[in-house]
Each structure stands twice: as C-alpha cells, then as structure tokens.
C-alpha cells in the first residue's frame, strides 16, 4: 500500500473513532417547537452539548413527531428513547402519585406549584426509579382555566358538552360537571375543535395560544384550578453508561433548566391571556356560581386523590403544607 493511502486510511479511522465516542440521544417531546417548554429544553440540550464538549448530543423531536405524547414515558422506560418530556399526570391511572400536580386548588400559583414540586420530588423520583428512569427536571404550565364556545355561568350551562381531557384529573372534572370527556393530545386538539369532536377543555393560556383557539371558541374562564407540569426524565441504563463528567453536566443543567423554565412560565402567563383577549376571546374570572361549582368538584377530587395516592400522596401533601 502506498504511504499516502495508508495515511488516508488512518485519518479516516481516527475520524470514525472520534464520531463513535460521542453519544447521540433522542428526546421526544409532545408540544410544539415554539412552545416555551420546548425552547427551554433546547437551551438545556445546547448547554449539555457545550458542557460535554460535544460528547453528548441530544436531538429534540417536538410535537409528538417521534413518539406521541402518550407513548413517550414508555419509550424512555424501555430505552427506545434515552430521554423525554411528558405530562406525567397523564399516567395517574397507573399510579395516582403521578397526578400530584393536578389536584384541584391544592397549588394555584407559580410559587405554590414550585413548593409542591419540591415536596413531591423524592416520591416521584423513587417511583420513576422503579421504572428504570430518573427525573431530571419539571416545568409548570400556567394556571388551568376553562375554554368554551359559549358563555358559562355555572356547570349546568356546560352539561352534555364534549370535553377534551389530557389526563385523569381533567376527565374527572368533566364527569363531575356532567360533560363527556375524550382524551386528546395537544397535537390533535386543533383538529378536534375544528371538527366538533370536542367543544370545551381545560388548559392554560399557553395551549390556547398555541392552538389558536379563537378560531373555534369564545370564552376563557381563568379558574386557576392547578398548574400541571411537564417532566423531563432519562432512561437509567443510558444515564449510567455515560462518563461521570457527562452525568454531572446533565444534572447541573437540568437544575438550571428547571429554574429558568419556571421563571419563563410565570413571565409569559399574563401575555398568553392578553393574546387570547386580543384575538376576541372573552377572558374573565369564573363568576360566583361557576366558582362555587368548581370548588365543590375540587373538594370531591381532593378526597379521591388522597384515597388513591395513599400514604405516598398524604406524605406529599403533608410535606407541602409544612
Ligand atoms: N397545556 C397542556 C397541558 C396543560 C396545559 O396548559 C395541554 O393542554 O395539553
């Protein structure tokens, strides 16, 4: 073999080895690329890339493009994806603890939501660990309110409406209110509204803006029922296979992403409601009758959740209240 060929071969081998040592992870996410949760995660993966000198490259797949929202948790659990983001409360049927952030009126401000998160973190992380995953960080959605295509002064006004649910708690609200729930991921919400599959739902101003709900709906009642969270978690085998320095980068930047994401959600919340109003939605607090009806549902659902979540759930609420 000529010297030049030999040299070229070793350079090619070196280049290959260099590439092979970098880890490439897939990160499925369910919400749009321009939602603040996704933008925050993009900053997180950029920071991790820099911190690891390019040795850990995480590719975000937004909008349910790699796995749909309801598939993401399992995909990470079995290692089909190494890391992912999911609204864990959507898995409360599996274990009620996952629904800790969707107990009506338990934590209704950003500050309270962060305190509840801290109270729940050890329990939630232990639960994920049993499923071969580790919690990295979580970020709240703005407070949840009710969207309708009509004025609603009390829940009798809403009886019979087809209601989009995103987790067990939202389905239960609908049931108790005499509405008819259907579980629909945000990625399919716009279509479901446009075709009349659903006529009402509960969510934040953020999702209302993402889905341009003013094209189909008319009223938003800012009930501030709870602030659900998107959680970012990693497959334990994938994590354990990383060098210690990369693990450290992930943990450090996860903590930063959590603080940055919570602050961003709080900063954006008012603007989302303003955007809804600018586009013609009637945005208001619930009237007294509607507020009372919702409070009653809250009492029922809190008792149900404490019962279902058992000791672990009670411990979370105790730690939160003290
Ligand atoms: N938006 C998400 C969950 C809560 C929220 O505000 C959704 O509607 O799917």
């Amino acid at each position: 073999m000529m010297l030049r060929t030999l040299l070229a071969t070793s350079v090619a081998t070196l280049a290959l080895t260099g590439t092979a040592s970098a880890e490439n992870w897939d990160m499925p996410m369910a919400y749009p690329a321009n939602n603040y949760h996704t933008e925050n995660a993009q900053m997180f993966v950029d920071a991790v890339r820099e911190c690891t000198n390019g040795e850990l490259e995480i590719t975000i797949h937004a909008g349910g493009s790699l796995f749909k929202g309801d598939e993401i948790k399992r995909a990470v659990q079995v290692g089909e994806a190494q890391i992912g983001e999911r609204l864990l409360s959507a898995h409360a049927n599996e274990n009620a603890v996952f629904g800790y952030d969707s107990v009506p009126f338990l934590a209704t401000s950003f500050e309270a939501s962060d305190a509840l998160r801290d109270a729940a973190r050890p329990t939630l992380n232990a639960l994920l660990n049993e499923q071969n995953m580790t919690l990295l960080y979580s970020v709240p959605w703005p407070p949840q309110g009710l969207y309708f295509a009509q004025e609603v002064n009390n829940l009798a006004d809403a009886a019979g409406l087809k209601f989009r649910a995103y987790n067990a708690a939202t389905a239960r609200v609908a049931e108790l209110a005499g509405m008819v729930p259907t579980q629909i991921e945000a990625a399919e919400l716009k279509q479901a509204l446009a075709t009349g599959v659903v006529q009402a739902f509960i969510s934040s101003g953020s999702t209302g803006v993402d889905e341009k709900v003013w094209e189909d709906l008319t009223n938003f009642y800012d009930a501030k029922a709870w602030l659900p969270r998107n959680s970012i978690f990693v497959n334990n085998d994938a994590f354990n296979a990383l060098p210690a320095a990369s693990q450290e980068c992930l943990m450090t930047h996860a903590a930063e992403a959590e603080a940055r994401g919570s602050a961003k959600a709080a900063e954006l919340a008012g603007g989302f409601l303003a955007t809804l109003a600018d586009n013609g939605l009637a945005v208001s607090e619930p009237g007294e009758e509607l507020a009372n009806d919702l409070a009653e549902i809250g009492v029922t659902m809190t008792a149900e959740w404490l019962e279902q979540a058992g000791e672990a759930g009670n411990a979370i609420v105790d730690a939160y209240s003290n």
Side-chain angles (χ1 to χ4, degrees):
M1 207 184 281
M2 282 177 59
L3 184 59
R4 187 179 296 176
T5 319
L6 253 180
L7 266 177
T9 312
S10 12
V11 169
T13 312
L14 259 181
L16 269 179
T17 322
T19 323
S21 77
E23 275 295 321
N24 289 292
W25 281 12
D26 287 310
M27 181 169 184
M29 302 181 75
Y31 293 94
N34 63 352
N35 182 278
Y36 70 91
H37 285 281
T38 319
E39 289 176 349
N40 188 48
Q42 188 61 55
M43 289 181 226
F44 165 69
V45 306
D46 289 346
V48 168
R49 181 192 309 110
E50 189 170 324
C51 179
T52 61
N53 297 314
E55 285 195 11
L56 180 53
E57 178 71 47
I58 304 176
T59 305
I60 289 178
H61 305 272
S65 56
L66 185 62
F67 291 100
K68 295 203 182 306
D70 61 359
E71 303 166 340
I72 290 173
K73 176 167 164 287
R74 191 176 174 280
V76 176
Q77 181 173 0
V78 303
E80 284 171 6
Q82 295 79 11
I83 183 171
E85 179 195 63
R86 176 62 171 152
L87 187 83
L88 281 180
S89 63
H91 299 277
N93 285 340
E94 179 194 321
N95 188 318
V97 166
F98 284 129
Y100 82 95
D101 58 4
S102 303
V103 179
F105 308 114
L106 178 60
T108 60
S109 68
F110 285 98
E111 213 185 359
S113 163
D114 282 356
L116 180 59
R117 168 204 66 201
D118 291 342
R121 195 192 307 269
T123 314
L124 190 62
N125 199 31
L127 183 54
L128 284 172
N129 256 296
E130 284 170 22
Q131 305 186 339
N132 199 35
M133 294 180 280
T134 298
L135 181 64
L136 289 184
Y137 69 90
S138 73
V139 170
W141 289 94
Q144 304 292 289
L146 289 158
Y147 288 94
F148 293 107
Q150 63 187 71
E151 206 179 285
V152 169
N153 295 315
N154 51 48
L155 287 178
D157 288 348
L161 292 180
K162 292 180 274 183
F163 189 87
R164 175 262 176 165
Y166 62 72
N167 65 10
T170 51
R172 187 69 180 135
V173 167
E175 268 170 25
L176 290 168
M179 296 187 279
V180 186
T182 311
Q183 184 89 16
I184 294 173
E185 290 297 321
E188 276 88 48
L189 175 56
K190 180 78 191 147
Q191 172 87 351
L193 286 168
T195 55
V197 169
V198 293
Q199 307 157 300
F201 67 105
I202 184 168
S203 192
S204 60
S206 174
T207 292
V209 170
D210 281 348
E211 305 309 321
K212 297 190 172 57
V213 297
W214 48 83
E215 291 170 2
D216 303 290
L217 304 177
T218 54
N219 291 73
F220 179 73
Y221 296 98
D222 188 14
K224 297 190 171 55
W226 63 78
L227 289 77
R229 307 182 81 89
N230 281 359
S231 296
I232 288 72
F233 41 85
V234 63
N235 174 283
N236 283 350
D237 300 325
F239 184 82
N240 292 334
L242 293 175
S246 297
Q247 294 179 352
E248 177 98 23
C249 285
L250 272 175
M251 287 312 195
T252 305
H253 290 287
E256 275 182 24
E258 182 161 274
R260 182 178 60 228
S262 297
K264 195 70 186 170
E267 177 195 321
L268 294 173
F272 290 134
L273 299 190
T275 302
L276 293 176
D278 287 348
N279 285 284
L281 244 75
V283 175
S284 70
E285 306 274 297
E288 200 181 326
E289 284 180 46
L290 180 57
N292 287 340
D293 288 351
L294 292 172
E296 205 175 300
I297 286 181
V299 171
T300 305
M301 285 180 59
T302 303
E304 288 175 350
W305 185 78
L306 284 171
E307 164 91 32
Q308 289 157 5
E311 246 172 67
N314 282 275
I316 291 173
V317 174
D318 284 349
Y320 166 64
S321 319
N322 292 322

